[in-house]
Amino acid sequence: MESFAYRSQVDEVQQEPSQISDAGGLRFSKKLCSKRMKFMFVVLLMAIMITILVVVLAVVLTRHQVPPQPYSSSSARLNGESSNCTQPPTLENGGVRHRFPMYFVNEDVPYTCTSGYKLVGSNTSVCDKSGLWRWKYQQKAPECKKICSAPPTLKQGTIQDQPPPVYLQSDRVQYQCNEGFHLDQSNSVTCQVNGSWTWETGHPPMCLKGCADPPLVRYATLINSTDQNRPFIAGDTVKYTCNDGYNFTHGHYVTCLSNGTWQGEGNKAPRCLQDIRPKSCLELLGAGYSQSKVYKIYPFGGAGFDIYCDQDTDDGGWDVIQRRLDGNQDFYLGWNNYVIGFGDPNDDYWIGLENIHRITTASPHELRIDLGDFLSLTRFAKYRYFQINSAATNYSLSVGGFSGNAGDGLRRLNGRPFSTYDRDNDGSSNTHCAVKYGGAWWYAACFSGASNLNGEYLRGAHDNKGGVAWLPWRSNYSLKTASMKIRRQSIV
Ligand SMILES: *[C@@H]1O[C@H](CO)[C@@H](O)[C@H](O)[C@H]1NC(C)=O
Ligand SMILES: *[C@@H]1O[C@H](CO)[C@@H](O)[C@H](O)[C@H]1NC(C)=O
Ligand SMILES: *[C@@H]1O[C@H](CO)[C@@H](O)[C@H](O)[C@H]1NC(C)=O
Ligand SMILES: *[C@@H]1O[C@H](CO)[C@@H](O)[C@H](O)[C@H]1NC(C)=O
Ligand SMILES: *[C@@H]1O[C@H](CO)[C@@H](O)[C@H](O)[C@H]1NC(C)=O
Ligand SMILES: *[C@@H]1O[C@H](CO)[C@@H](O)[C@H](O)[C@H]1NC(C)=O
Ligand SMILES: *[C@@H]1O[C@H](CO)[C@@H](O)[C@H](O)[C@H]1NC(C)=O
Ligand SMILES: *[C@@H]1O[C@H](CO)[C@@H](O)[C@H](O)[C@H]1NC(C)=O
């Protein structure tokens, strides 16, 4: 009953406290209420205090246990010690490890760089009381420098200095070559802002094998074309000059190769030979002048004359007395021209009947005729005996002892005098052979079955004219090349 009343009273109190009239019931109710309120207040207070403690602890922990990711902002940061220190200086390709709205005075604010960059200079900024930021540990402001890949390697070379733990942008690396090798150019490479390396000259240097001193050449003096203060390296060329009274036979230069050896022009070592006044190409050959070219010969002493020496064909030593190469020279010329000779010894020419006569009568000579067509086929005719007789015989031909694969195109002309368009000695009463066949030769009622090597340069197949003809090989065809060459008979 009481408990019921109590409950009803409490209900009443709760519903309508102002209408409670029972004094005892009211006292009881007031006492109960204050006890419960006190308890709840303490619990609330403790909860608040715990929350504050947790927050403070969290803040302290986040401030002092540095999380790995930079730039994380903490909104839960206390700013009770407010200061004039707002934001610390910024840093390109990096920044402060943690960004906060405000910073404490004298608080260490560490900096870091984004990945791929390395921090150089002070790593910490501190704000002083007046709100100014200064750098700690070092005066120097930090810089985030690009970390470079490994510098390029150089074959037969190494990097000059001890390498650092990492290479950074604008680092410069220099190379040196291994023993016996030498750099061919400037050797430095610099790391760019983008982390890649570029060579000072735009392309990598090379370590080239050095060459020893250039070879000594007898009777020659060296003219060095390279800087004397550095060793000879591949590509270097030195020039020689023959001493007075000596002439080159081979190249004037030698070049240092990448395998450390010297190579002469045309793969031949330079050679100086004593200058001589040769009587013939054969004599030049004997003295070592083994290159086929134009030389001056002095078969009768005196001033001498230029002649092409064939030092290659058939053991060399051939005086070339007639040559057709390209039709550059007109061969339809008169008697006097054929007597004294004409043309260019480097090209098409005729050495002259008088010269041939004097040479071939002074000592026995052999004759070789080399022929070529426009398909690059070649043939030759060789005569063991060849002589041109005196002007009194009109330079008649004496020839014999044929061999070769071109056929004998002279046998039928043996003993014939020479004819030109202005000196008709061809033995034909009704034909002027030199005129008809456009040449000058030892015509015998013209040249049927024989030859006409001084004929008109007609370039290959033709109909009814002379042309540069050697009929035993090809008829109705004007040859591309023809050359007549003589050499003193060897005494067997
Ligand atoms: C901010 O700086 C001014 C002077 O520069 C100073 O008077 C003031 O006390 C500073 N305030 C704080 C919170 O440090
Ligand atoms: C910053 O530099 C100082 C002095 O060089 C060094 O002792 C410290 O460990 C560095 N701090 C960081 C976070 O790299
Ligand atoms: C880096 O920069 C240099 C010039 O500064 C440039 O030549 C090179 O191509 C660049 N490399 C890359 C990988 O971007
Ligand atoms: C050329 O080089 C050689 C070898 O180094 C040296 O002996 C010589 O004196 C040099 N000659 C000149 C003219 O510089
Ligand atoms: C040697 O050279 C001189 C001058 O260049 C030249 O006159 C002479 O004919 C040459 N001698 C020989 C054999 O080549
Ligand atoms: C160097 O190279 C040249 C050309 O390649 C060659 O002819 C020569 O035999 C080489 N010499 C050596 C010693 O390897
Ligand atoms: C040489 O030629 C001339 C002119 O053609 C002639 O008069 C003379 O008889 C010839 N002599 C000989 C030996 O053939
Ligand atoms: C070759 O020349 C002769 C005259 O020398 C002529 O009679 C003949 O018809 C020519 N033959 C050809 C195929 O042109």
Side-chain angles (χ1 to χ4, degrees):
M1 187 65 189
E2 234 193 50
S3 78
F4 174 74
Y6 162 73
R7 201 175 292 142
S8 74
Q9 276 171 347
V10 167
D11 285 346
E12 272 173 7
V13 165
Q14 283 177 341
Q15 281 163 13
E16 281 173 73
S18 58
Q19 283 176 9
I20 295 167
S21 53
D22 184 273
L26 182 67
R27 206 179 302 124
F28 170 81
S29 172
K30 261 183 179 165
K31 215 170 165 186
L32 190 78
C33 188
S34 88
K35 226 177 189 176
R36 276 180 69 179
M37 297 261 283
K38 230 180 221 166
F39 173 74
M40 277 170 70
F41 181 73
V42 166
V43 166
L44 200 77
L45 211 73
M46 275 174 72
I48 287 168
M49 277 171 71
I50 284 168
T51 309
I52 288 170
L53 206 78
V54 163
V55 167
V56 164
L57 245 139
V59 166
V60 165
L61 279 177
T62 42
R63 289 296 308 277
H64 291 282
Q65 284 184 357
V66 175
Q69 75 276 44
Y71 309 131
S72 72
S73 70
S74 168
S75 54
R77 186 166 176 273
L78 283 181
N79 58 4
E81 282 188 49
S82 68
S83 71
N84 286 352
C85 302
T86 55
Q87 289 305 302
T90 57
L91 176 61
E92 205 180 336
N93 296 314
V96 293
R97 278 179 187 269
H98 317 295
R99 194 176 294 288
F100 301 111
M102 298 284 267
Y103 293 85
F104 294 109
V105 170
N106 287 331
E107 175 190 9
D108 278 6
V109 178
Y111 276 72
T112 185
C113 291
T114 50
S115 100
Y117 290 85
K118 188 179 191 295
L119 191 136
V120 176
S122 168
N123 62 9
T124 305
S125 187
V126 173
C127 178
D128 67 18
K129 279 201 187 75
S130 58
L132 290 175
W133 291 91
R134 58 177 178 78
W135 297 107
K136 195 170 173 180
Y137 308 121
Q138 292 184 39
Q139 294 281 73
K140 200 170 148 1
E143 215 184 317
C144 286
K145 287 198 163 184
K146 180 83 178 167
I147 296 173
C148 297
S149 52
T153 55
L154 185 64
K155 223 172 143 184
Q156 299 292 356
T158 50
I159 288 169
Q160 261 181 21
D161 303 312
Q162 191 67 28
V166 284
Y167 286 101
L168 300 177
Q169 76 186 59
S170 77
D171 276 357
R172 192 158 161 266
V173 168
Q174 282 184 297
Y175 294 81
Q176 65 199 8
C177 289
N178 298 343
E179 180 94 27
F181 289 82
H182 306 281
L183 279 158
D184 69 334
Q185 57 163 42
S186 148
N187 61 343
S188 85
V189 74
T190 306
C191 180
Q192 303 299 309
V193 186
N194 62 12
S196 67
W197 297 87
T198 52
W199 294 100
E200 192 181 313
T201 54
H203 54 93
M206 280 192 290
C207 282
L208 300 173
K209 196 165 172 138
C211 278
D213 281 353
L216 284 177
V217 174
R218 275 230 287 181
Y219 313 122
T221 310
L222 197 58
I223 309 165
N224 297 339
S225 45
T226 49
D227 173 10
Q228 281 308 287
N229 296 320
R230 68 162 176 79
F232 292 103
I233 60 170
D236 282 350
T237 287
V238 297
K239 190 181 178 183
Y240 295 86
T241 168
C242 288
N243 298 344
D244 274 359
Y246 291 84
N247 284 30
F248 276 112
T249 148
H250 302 142
H252 303 45
Y253 301 92
V254 291
T255 304
C256 174
L257 299 179
S258 54
N259 65 9
T261 60
W262 291 97
Q263 187 178 51
E265 233 181 325
N267 221 348
K268 284 180 165 176
R271 197 169 160 210
C272 293
L273 296 172
Q274 194 158 15
D275 194 9
I276 52 168
R277 279 171 63 88
K279 282 187 153 41
S280 65
C281 295
L282 187 61
E283 192 182 333
L284 281 164
L285 185 68
Y289 292 89
S290 56
Q291 193 186 352
S292 291
K293 64 181 187 84
V294 174
Y295 295 90
K296 196 175 256 330
I297 60 169
Y298 308 82
F300 332 114
F305 53 88
D306 284 347
I307 195 165
Y308 187 87
C309 291
D310 180 349
Q311 311 293 57
D312 295 298
T313 307
D314 192 1
D315 298 332
W318 296 99
D319 302 338
V320 175
I321 56 172
Q322 184 263 18
R323 189 154 70 145
R324 310 296 296 272
L325 286 177
D326 47 26
N328 276 348
Q329 170 66 45
D330 180 11
F331 273 65
Y332 191 55
L333 296 173
W335 185 260
N336 286 340
N337 280 306
Y338 271 93
V339 170
I340 61 167
F342 56 85
D344 175 2
N346 281 297
D347 198 359
D348 289 13
Y349 74 101
W350 172 258
I351 205 71
L353 288 164
E354 188 59 27
N355 282 330
I356 305 172
H357 157 67
R358 290 180 70 179
I359 293 169
T360 57
T361 50
S363 59
H365 275 68
E366 51 185 346
L367 169 73
R368 183 183 164 107
I369 296 172
D370 282 292
L371 306 167
D373 70 7
F374 285 90
L375 297 169
S376 300
L377 296 175
T378 59
R379 295 282 174 93
F380 77 97
K382 197 171 168 184
Y383 297 87
R384 181 121 178 80
Y385 312 103
F386 172 71
Q387 187 174 311
I388 297 300
N389 301 303
S390 68
T393 69
N394 290 325
Y395 300 106
S396 67
L397 171 69
S398 292
V399 72
F402 167 81
S403 63
N405 58 12
D408 188 348
L410 289 183
R411 187 171 50 87
R412 291 186 186 186
L413 311 180
N414 201 7
R416 294 301 309 163
F418 203 78
S419 290
T420 57
Y421 67 73
D422 55 351
R423 287 286 284 270
D424 182 357
N425 300 319
D426 56 31
S428 167
S429 51
N430 49 11
T431 314
H432 192 343
C433 299
V435 173
K436 185 173 182 192
Y437 295 110
W441 203 239
W442 296 277
Y443 294 115
C446 300
F447 66 95
S448 307
S451 53
N452 187 37
L453 294 183
N454 292 334
E456 196 180 347
Y457 199 82
L458 293 176
R459 298 185 162 80
H462 64 86
D463 202 356
N464 196 14
K465 280 190 152 186
V468 182
W470 192 264
L471 295 175
W473 179 23
R474 311 208 49 179
S475 57
N476 302 64
Y477 188 91
S478 184
L479 297 167
K480 182 175 191 235
T481 59
S483 63
M484 301 172 69
K485 46 200 80 166
I486 58 172
R487 183 171 67 185
R488 207 178 74 196
Q489 278 179 21
S490 50
I491 300 130
V492 185

